[in-house]
Amino acid sequence: MKTTKSILILAVIILLAACTSTKKKEQTISLSGAFALYPLVVKWSEEYQKENPDIRFNISAGGAGKGMADALSGTVDLGMFSREIAQAEIDKGVWWVAVTKDAVIPTVNAANPVVETLKTRGVTRSEFQALYIDAKYSNWNQLSGITIDQPINVFTRSDACGAADTWATYLGGKQENLQGVGVFGDPGLADAVVKDVKGIGFNNTIYLYDIKSGNKNMGIEVIPIDVNENGKLDVEENFYDTFEQVLAAIAEGKYPSPPARELYLVAKGKPTKQATLDFLKWVVTNGQKYVPEAGYVPLTQSRLDEQVGKLNQ
């Protein structure tokens, strides 16, 4: 009799634990993927939890490729994604909402002696192609108007990521076509350029500027793009001094797209978990007020309305 009673108590304990575990899982939203979107998603999770203290978040950065793979396999509820969705990914059933916009910006070590010249002439798309795709340039003096004899150490991303793919798309190629030493992650690529006076690379805006001061991070400098390719940086092309200026240029379309682009949250089909759906609806409505202060460009209201409609279908 005593043994039977003990078994019943144990069964009740196991059942209660299972119910608790299921409830915890239903109230936990997991995300992985693009470094580009990671800081904003962390900000959103913090603000959302203030309004919904029962919701938990598991968030990890690892590149857009990991975010897409994890989302399609169901390893996470949402993938953070930072390039255009490919047809092959659509064929696999990916579903997505656009949540904000940013840009990939070319960088150089701030102590490089060619910096001041670059600020006055900029670099054209075709020159970046010769450097990053065709490997025709290996010394700064191969660019017209630059006489300083100094080699160029090119860095790119080693992980499958939206930043590299977007940068390559701008240059007419794919990520695997990009020249340079591969470095993992956005912070790693910025650090590689900061530590190498001859180094150049590219970063998402959030890893290039300091949000609080609005200035560029220590040791790194922007390579301005000579958009109209006239051999000089015109007033309308010169908007890199502060974070506020470059975000405005992205919003107004002065900075080319690509390398500017929308950022997405993706899943394997439209999510069915209520906690995930509620969070997504908050992101494209009330959550948008945190986008500028987090260092990103808000989508237009009409574009946001499209995302709300997608969630309400």
Side-chain angles (χ1 to χ4, degrees), residues 6-260:
S6 297
I7 291 174
L8 286 172
I9 292 173
L10 180 60
V12 169
I13 292 174
I14 292 173
L15 184 60
L16 288 173
C19 290
T20 301
S21 176
T22 300
K23 183 179 180 182
K24 187 176 180 181
K25 187 176 180 181
E26 288 299 313
Q27 293 181 329
T28 300
I29 303 171
S30 57
L31 304 99
S32 73
F35 283 92
L37 197 47
Y38 176 76
L40 179 54
V41 169
V42 169
K43 174 67 175 176
W44 274 333
S45 70
E46 293 170 347
E47 297 299 332
Y48 191 72
Q49 278 189 307
K50 292 176 183 176
E51 302 175 24
N52 303 273
D54 292 336
I55 299 298
R56 299 171 183 271
F57 288 89
N58 288 327
I59 308 168
S60 62
K66 177 173 172 52
M68 178 61 76
D70 287 351
L72 289 176
S73 67
T75 305
V76 296
D77 295 304
L78 295 169
M80 299 179 288
F81 204 65
S82 56
R83 63 164 169 77
E84 288 303 304
I85 310 287
Q87 185 58 50
E89 292 154 349
I90 295 173
D91 294 341
K92 292 178 182 177
V94 69
W95 175 95
W96 69 94
V97 290
V99 294
T100 187
K101 190 173 183 180
D102 80 339
V104 179
I105 296 178
T107 61
V108 66
N109 186 290
N112 192 310
V114 304
V115 164
E116 292 307 315
T117 304
L118 293 177
K119 285 183 177 179
T120 59
R121 79 183 295 281
V123 174
T124 66
R125 178 174 175 271
S126 58
E127 288 173 330
F128 279 123
Q129 284 176 320
L131 181 62
Y132 256 105
I133 301 291
D134 303 326
K136 290 182 178 177
Y137 295 159
S138 57
N139 191 300
W140 284 111
N141 63 15
Q142 292 174 282
L143 278 71
S144 64
I146 297 181
T147 57
I148 295 174
D149 180 9
Q150 176 171 284
I152 306 170
N153 292 341
V154 180
F155 292 100
T156 184
R157 289 278 291 277
S158 61
D159 50 313
C161 68
D165 189 272
T166 301
W167 183 238
T169 299
Y170 172 60
L171 302 180
K174 298 181 180 299
Q175 179 176 353
E176 53 266 33
N177 302 130
L178 293 177
Q179 303 295 317
V181 176
V183 180
F184 180 81
D186 240 305
L189 185 49
D191 191 52
V193 173
V194 168
K195 290 179 177 176
D196 187 341
V197 72
K198 302 171 185 175
I200 69 165
F202 51 83
N203 275 107
N204 296 303
T205 47
I206 195 68
Y207 294 93
L208 183 52
Y209 290 86
D210 179 82
I211 296 179
K212 292 181 179 177
S213 69
N215 298 322
K216 279 158 275 190
N217 290 324
M218 190 73 73
I220 200 164
E221 185 55 78
V222 168
I223 304 177
I225 296 179
D226 176 12
V227 178
N228 61 16
E229 306 204 352
N230 66 351
K232 63 179 182 178
L233 200 66
D234 296 317
V235 173
E236 62 271 21
E237 297 170 322
N238 191 1
F239 40 70
Y240 300 95
D241 283 345
T242 68
F243 204 4
E244 183 179 10
Q245 286 178 316
V246 78
L247 291 178
I250 295 168
E252 295 165 4
K254 292 181 180 177
Y255 191 77
S257 180

